[in-house]
């Protein structure tokens, strides 16, 4: 789907469909009013059939006085209640309707609405992301493909073409590409999306965008002493990988934006729980346990695709968590790359084991800020549900930046504490500490475990167990938190 910015008027735009907004009580937006006048009041007459709710839609065909083949009217809800949520609902409703319609091109007049105090760039970004979301499909593994969903080839945004908006448009499409990549990697089954597959995807990105890449193999990990990562991978026939992908968009100067960001993503391509085996019900959903890794690849793709002036490394520890004759046993003690020893009391708490070695490894690159992203705990899902990702940080300024980026990207997070009192749960009689605390505060003790490996860095941890994917009928990857990571990096680069 191509996007462009063009000066257009609703009555003369030659498009398969023009998309116009209408508030409740037949309260037309300026563009809709203009189209209505050209159509001699025919739009207003049809409005009786449009429910007032934000996101409801009504299609009109062959309107006299209007050049476009179709008019798609989109409900915006009460004018007094109009804000970010209504805008998002309207974009989503419009996207779904455009998909059903099968129009080849559209002019999207909703984009210039005033959404609270948000800038026009915010509208444009959210319109692009919302439309791409509506058109995302994962049907590559169905033998019978549905009718091509991608009929919509072109969307024009009727705005005056300022450099700033063009830049936003390029950023938004690249972000959508990154989100799509994260979704597709998450949706792929665990027999296809293996650690080697993720490494190949990273190599593809490296080729396409001229990124630096390094992939550590099992032997390299042994030499380095990554005892925790190796313990998780020990029963798996698919060998583990540690991927380091580097994008140098800001050069090597001393400017603040050139300072390195590190994104570290949990890449468990399937989590059986290991010897601490998970129950059978819904175990298939543990293919999404590489979503952190997928979001890192997605964010790097987005940033490289838009040529963002930032330096980022993506560090991805990836393996399967399998039972077997070589599997790690509950009670095994291993030495991590940091030198600290860990008693593995539960092999299902494997995410923190692969992350701790990856975080220690990431420190070698001397990043200014580190964010890890992981589907880490069921406890985080209990605490925050599927709306907010859990945020933990050992630095107040970094926490504030992540919160601000999350707000701008509409990719919400909620901060949870990392207080020393919670560390008590990890004590072990036999090693430096254990890999689990008790059930209480499970998301926090998991973060506290990671905090023991990041004391010298400005570090934030995102627990995306509840937000990276959906279960039930709409089962699938959401692509979160790619929007947040991209926003965060752009803020770091000084973009508003
Ligand atoms: N990948 C899971 C966390 C998870 C659970 C993600 C549900 C998405 C949905 C993680 O590896 C895990 O198994 N965590 C355990 C930790 C426990 C053993 C301390 C959990 O949350 O039960
Ligand atoms: Mn697990
Ligand atoms: Zn896991």
């Amino acid at each position: 789907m191509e996007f462009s910015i063009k000066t257009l008027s609703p009555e003369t735009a030659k498009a398969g469909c023009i998309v116009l907004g209408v508030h409740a009580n037949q309260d037309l937006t300026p563009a809709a009013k203009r189209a209505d006048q050209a159509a001699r009041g025919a739009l207003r007459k049809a409005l009786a059939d449009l429910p007032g709710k934000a996101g409801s839609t009504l299609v009109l065909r062959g309107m006299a006085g209007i050049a476009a083949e179709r008019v798609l009217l989109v409900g915006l809800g009460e004018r007094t209640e109009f804000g970010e949520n209504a805008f998002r609902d309207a974009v989503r409703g419009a996207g779904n309707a455009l998909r059903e319609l099968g129009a080849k091109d559209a002019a999207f007049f909703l984009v210039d609405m005033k959404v609270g105090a948000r800038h026009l760039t915010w509208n444009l970004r959210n319109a692009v992301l919302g439309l791409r979301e509506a058109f995302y499909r994962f049907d590559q593994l169905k033998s019978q493909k549905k009718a091509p969903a991608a009929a919509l080839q072109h969307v024009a945004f009727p705005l005056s073409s300022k450099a700033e908006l063009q830049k936003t448009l390029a950023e938004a499409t690249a972000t959508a590409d990154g989100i799509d990549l994260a979704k597709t990697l998450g949706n792929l089954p665990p027999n296809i999306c293996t650690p080697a597959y993720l490494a190949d995807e990273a190599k593809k990105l490296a080729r396409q965008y001229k990124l630096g890449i390094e992939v550590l193999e099992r032997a390299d990990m042994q030499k380095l002493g990554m005892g925790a990562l190796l313990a998780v991978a020990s029963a798996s026939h698919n060998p583990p990988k540690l991927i380091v992908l580097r994008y140098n968009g800001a050069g090597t100067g001393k400017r603040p934006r050139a300072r390195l960001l590190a994104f570290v993503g949990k890449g468990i391509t399937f989590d059986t729980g290991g010897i601490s085996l998970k129950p059978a019900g819904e175990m298939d959903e543990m293919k999404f346990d590489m979503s952190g890794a997928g979001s890192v690849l997605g964010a790097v793709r987005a940033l490289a695709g838009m040529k963002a002036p930032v330096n980022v490394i993506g560090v991805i520890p990836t393996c399967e968590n399998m039972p077997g004759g070589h599997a790690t046993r509950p009670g095994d003690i291993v030495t991590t790359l940091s030198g600290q020893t860990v008693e593995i009391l539960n092999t299902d708490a494997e995410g923190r084991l692969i992350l701790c070695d990856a975080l220690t490894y990431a420190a070698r690159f001397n990043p200014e800020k580190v964010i890890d992203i992981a589907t880490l705990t069921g406890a985080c899902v209990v605490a925050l549900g599927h709306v907010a990702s859990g945020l933990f940080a050992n630095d107040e300024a970094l926490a504030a930046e992540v919160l601000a980026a999350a707000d701008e990207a509409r990719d919400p997070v909620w901060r949870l504490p990392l207080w020393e009192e919670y560390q008590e749960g990890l004590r072990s009689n036999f090693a430096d500490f254990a890999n689990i605390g008790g059930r209480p505060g499970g998301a926090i003790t998991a973060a506290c475990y990671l905090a023991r490996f990041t004391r010298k860095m400005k570090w934030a941890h995102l627990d995306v167990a509840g937000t990276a994917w959906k279960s039930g009928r709409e089962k699938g990857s959401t692509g979160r938190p790619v929007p947040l990571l991209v926003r965060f990096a752009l803020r770091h680069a000084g973009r508003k």
Side-chain angles (χ1 to χ4, degrees):
M1 193 189 303
E2 295 274 317
F3 296 99
S4 65
I5 294 174
K6 269 190 208 147
T7 15
L8 289 171
S9 54
E11 68 279 15
T12 55
K14 283 204 186 62
C17 188
I18 56 171
V19 184
L20 300 168
V22 185
H23 287 286
N25 309 317
Q26 312 213 342
D27 181 359
L28 306 185
T29 53
K33 226 175 246 165
R34 193 160 158 175
D36 183 54
Q37 274 155 12
R40 297 178 182 278
L43 248 65
R44 205 179 277 279
K45 246 179 244 150
L47 281 183
D49 296 330
L50 180 73
K53 253 183 55 202
S56 56
T57 54
L58 177 67
V59 187
L60 308 170
R61 279 172 203 266
M63 304 281 289
I66 306 255
E69 284 167 49
R70 310 173 188 81
V71 176
L72 176 63
L73 295 176
V74 183
L76 301 172
E78 299 286 340
R79 184 186 287 272
T80 50
E81 287 163 22
F82 187 74
E84 293 181 21
N85 287 336
F87 183 79
R88 184 201 51 198
D89 292 347
V91 171
R92 190 190 295 144
N96 290 337
L98 285 170
R99 203 186 58 231
E100 311 275 289
L101 275 178
K104 284 220 160 28
D105 58 341
F108 201 79
F109 285 88
L110 297 183
V111 74
D112 69 352
M113 307 276 318
K114 186 87 201 106
V115 186
R118 297 293 193 186
H119 194 258
L120 203 49
T121 53
W122 186 95
N123 297 14
L124 187 57
R125 196 166 64 231
N126 281 281
V128 170
L129 294 184
L131 289 171
R132 287 281 301 264
E133 165 89 32
F135 279 82
Y136 174 83
R137 280 288 165 280
F138 182 83
D139 58 8
Q140 59 192 80
L141 298 173
K142 300 229 188 218
S143 59
Q144 306 282 323
K145 313 259 184 289
K146 286 208 197 104
L152 186 62
Q153 280 158 12
H154 190 112
V155 178
F157 294 111
L159 299 167
S160 62
S161 176
K162 292 199 206 89
E164 194 197 11
L165 291 177
Q166 290 293 355
K167 194 166 175 186
T168 300
L169 185 58
E171 285 174 3
T173 31
T175 305
D177 291 342
I179 292 171
D180 281 7
L181 175 63
K183 280 185 188 170
T184 296
L185 292 174
N187 289 334
L188 281 166
N191 60 328
I192 294 179
C193 185
T194 59
Y197 187 93
L198 287 180
D200 285 345
E201 280 297 302
K203 285 179 194 157
K204 256 200 248 162
L205 289 181
R207 245 177 281 130
Q208 192 177 351
Y209 298 105
K210 302 202 170 44
L211 312 176
I213 184 156
E214 173 187 29
V215 178
L216 303 188
E217 308 290 337
R218 204 194 295 259
D220 303 312
M221 299 170 195
Q222 278 159 349
K223 242 177 264 157
L224 286 162
M226 298 183 158
L229 172 46
L230 287 165
V232 178
S234 59
S236 173
H237 291 273
N238 281 314
K241 309 272 175 188
L242 188 115
I243 306 163
V244 182
L245 197 56
R246 182 169 189 134
Y247 166 63
N248 257 351
T252 45
K254 283 231 158 53
R255 287 161 304 157
R257 65 162 67 151
R259 290 191 215 128
L260 186 64
L261 300 178
F263 293 152
V264 181
K266 171 178 174 182
I268 295 290
T269 58
F270 196 73
D271 182 10
T272 67
I275 297 300
S276 312
L277 194 64
K278 286 186 180 294
E282 280 104 53
M283 204 207 273
D284 67 289
E285 295 181 345
M286 284 301 121
K287 73 172 182 176
F288 294 116
D289 214 17
M290 40 53 66
S291 296
S295 74
V296 171
L297 292 176
V300 171
R301 174 178 180 172
L303 292 166
M306 68 177 76
K307 301 192 172 69
V310 282
N311 294 341
V312 190
I313 51 166
V315 179
I316 295 173
T318 173
C319 67
E320 298 174 323
N321 185 20
M322 300 290 281
H326 262 130
T328 294
R329 294 152 288 250
D332 281 3
I333 294 178
V334 298
T335 303
T336 64
L337 180 60
S338 73
Q340 302 177 96
T341 60
V342 181
E343 185 181 16
I344 300 176
L345 289 177
N346 189 318
T347 63
D348 198 11
E350 85 296 340
R352 59 198 84 178
L353 292 172
I354 67 168
L355 284 170
C356 72
D357 281 348
L359 285 163
T360 305
Y361 193 69
R364 298 187 171 202
F365 300 91
N366 202 19
E368 190 195 27
K369 300 165 192 161
V370 181
I371 302 182
D372 79 70
I373 306 98
T375 47
L376 203 62
T377 65
C380 192
V381 189
V382 174
L384 299 175
H386 303 287
V387 179
S389 307
L391 165 66
F392 302 82
N394 65 6
D395 182 85
E396 296 306 303
L398 176 55
E401 285 167 44
V402 175
L403 284 163
D407 176 58
E408 286 168 19
R410 291 192 57 91
D411 190 353
V413 302
W414 191 259
R415 192 172 177 192
L416 294 165
L418 261 181
W419 299 327
E420 279 304 311
E421 285 89 328
Y422 289 103
Q423 289 286 358
E424 178 58 20
L426 295 173
R427 64 177 296 282
S428 160
N429 285 355
F430 307 109
D432 292 348
F433 43 88
N435 76 326
I436 53 164
R439 271 172 61 82
I444 303 175
T445 48
C448 283
Y449 173 95
L450 296 176
R452 291 172 180 254
F453 298 85
T454 53
R455 296 212 195 272
K456 294 194 190 105
M457 303 190 277
K458 288 182 185 166
W459 159 76
H461 157 60
L462 293 169
D463 192 332
V464 295
T467 53
W469 54 280
K470 290 188 202 141
S471 55
R473 217 186 122 72
E474 299 295 311
K475 190 189 287 186
S477 174
T478 61
R480 288 178 67 185
V482 172
L484 157 57
L485 296 176
V486 172
R487 219 46 230 143
F488 177 85
L490 287 175
R491 285 176 59 92
H492 180 78
R495 272 291 271 158
K496 270 184 287 159

